[in-house]
Amino acid sequence: MLDSLSPVAVTSLPDAPFLPRVVWPDAEKPGLRWVVDPRKSAPGLDSLLTWAFRQDASRIAFQTGHPVWVSIHGRNYRVTATPTDELDFSHIVNHLYGADGMARLQGGNDFDTAYAIQIDRSTRLRFRLNVTPTRTSRRDGGNIVLRPIPDMPPPLEQQNVEPEILNAYRPRQGIVIVSGATGSGKSTLIAGMTLAKVMDPDGHYNILEGAGPVEFLLERLRGPCSTINQTEIPRDLPTFAAFVRGAMRREPTDVIVGECRDSETMVAAIQAAISGHVVTTTIHANGVALTMQRIASLCPPGERENLISAVAQSLRLIINQRLARSTGGRRTALREFLVFDAALRSELLRADPAEWPSLTRSAVEEQGQSYRVAIARALEEGRISQETAAFELREVG
């Protein structure tokens, strides 16, 4: 039977010893198929994703020729006994993306999008999705990673956000950056900030967000005096830079740029900030000082001098976040951060950009919060164990 979850004969190296502690209940259900009709019916896929969502999974991964793996609170579990063969994989890809999904993958392209499962009239589960071509031992293959998106972000108080950040994340203008690795909760933190703004009875914000994809559908919120409009990149507009340029014509108070990943986006974000808006964005970096280094590297050489000056004047707050194992078996956020006051911005303006990382590192120790302080705080609050604290201290060096 096509697309069946029944065992598939494969020749492979012996598996390492594995004792599953988390089991997908429908894994051995007779006749269950991943996909029956692409774009219409995927009973096996939807069953697995629904179960994983309810287990509080952060990652579900399919790979050609391998079983399905699920990550729950930072731990990996193999939840199917048999590998996903080429035919299964192609039907899943075409269901998630469209009829040309597999052709796109075989043409050497990856893609990001979102996938939703309608459970009932009022319940919809959403997933952030990436599909990437890969190399296998037998032939070309692919990797599908789905990341569940909660219906609404947890409020800032549930995210254990430090008082210093709460006092600084709403500047009148300028740039707020949340940096960190993939899966470190950057989007969740920004969404919590946005939720607080929209629901503020005295906020009067007009917020425009561009994300790829939109994770939390905040446009459903009915704030007392604030609005939010969300655009998905590249489905609604082709690039983040195009989104920012268009946003400038819509008189926003706040512009949220899902990720500054290239020079074009960085230039657009800086121009929006110096035009009197609040720009909130994310950057992939492993600390506040490295975030500064990344900002400088994203400024194109021909415009670097002017852009570096604009950045120095516009920065208001950088938060770098990572997740650590909590005492409850889940994960908790640790944050390094720095608020950029007028004196620090003036110091940046006078300094060579090559000196920014060391200058910022000193400022974090003197007037911000380093990871060492964040770890000590989390330990004192009982959020992490002594063992986790020791591990995290080794990680930050």
Side-chain angles (χ1 to χ4, degrees), residues 142-362:
N143 180 219
I144 303 169
V145 174
L146 298 109
R147 295 161 58 197
I149 305 169
D151 184 53
M152 280 287 162
L156 294 178
E157 55 267 26
Q158 291 183 20
Q159 297 190 48
N160 300 302
V161 177
E162 290 83 350
E164 299 92 331
I165 294 176
L166 294 177
N167 290 332
Y169 81 94
R170 300 195 198 193
R172 293 183 62 182
Q173 60 184 38
I175 302 174
V176 173
I177 296 175
V178 179
S179 60
T182 299
S184 59
K186 300 185 298 295
S187 297
T188 300
L189 178 57
I190 289 177
M193 295 173 176
T194 307
L195 175 66
K197 288 180 179 180
V198 172
M199 301 312 293
D200 184 346
D202 197 34
H204 300 279
Y205 297 100
N206 292 311
I207 303 169
L208 304 180
E209 178 183 13
V214 171
E215 296 195 14
F216 300 96
L217 295 174
L218 301 180
E219 57 83 27
R220 295 172 296 160
L221 294 173
R222 296 296 179 262
C225 59
S226 296
T227 66
I228 180 168
N229 183 277
Q230 296 175 290
T231 297
E232 187 160 299
I233 311 298
R235 179 167 294 179
D236 302 321
L237 286 173
T239 65
F240 285 109
F243 159 74
V244 176
R245 287 192 294 268
M248 294 303 92
R249 297 189 289 268
R250 293 193 277 163
E251 200 177 345
T253 58
D254 293 60
V255 178
I256 302 172
V257 181
E259 182 184 348
C260 271
R261 64 177 73 171
D262 53 47
S263 295
E264 186 184 19
T265 306
M266 178 57 73
V267 171
I270 293 170
Q271 290 173 344
I274 63 176
S275 299
H277 305 88
V278 176
V279 176
T280 303
T281 190
T282 69
I283 286 179
H284 284 94
N286 290 325
V288 171
L290 291 176
T291 302
M292 296 293 288
Q293 184 175 315
R294 179 69 175 146
I295 292 169
S297 72
L298 285 171
C299 294
E303 306 173 66
R304 180 160 295 169
E305 186 173 344
N306 290 335
L307 290 173
I308 288 293
S309 174
V311 168
Q313 297 174 68
S314 300
L315 275 173
R316 295 297 185 271
L317 172 67
I318 294 181
I319 306 164
N320 189 263
Q321 179 167 292
R322 60 180 64 191
L323 299 179
R325 183 163 300 282
S326 73
T327 49
R330 301 166 73 89
R331 290 189 293 176
T332 188
L334 303 175
R335 300 184 186 94
E336 178 176 88
F337 61 82
L338 179 61
V339 177
F340 290 76
D341 58 17
L344 181 55
R345 293 197 299 272
S346 295
E347 194 172 353
L348 288 175
L349 198 56
R350 293 191 299 269
D352 187 300
E355 299 172 1
W356 281 9
S358 59
L359 190 158
T360 306
R361 197 172 289 114
S362 298

Side-chain angles (χ1 to χ4, degrees), residues 43-65:
L45 179 65
D46 288 353
S47 169
L48 170 66
L49 295 179
T50 301
W51 169 81
F53 197 106
R54 290 171 174 166
Q55 296 298 311
D56 205 17
S58 61
R59 183 179 190 269
I60 304 100
F62 291 81
Q63 184 174 344
T64 312

Side-chain angles (χ1 to χ4, degrees), residues 12-29:
S12 62
L13 295 172
D15 283 338
F18 181 79
L19 296 174
R21 292 182 294 162
V22 174
V23 178
W24 170 39
D26 287 346
E28 302 301 325
K29 190 173 181 179

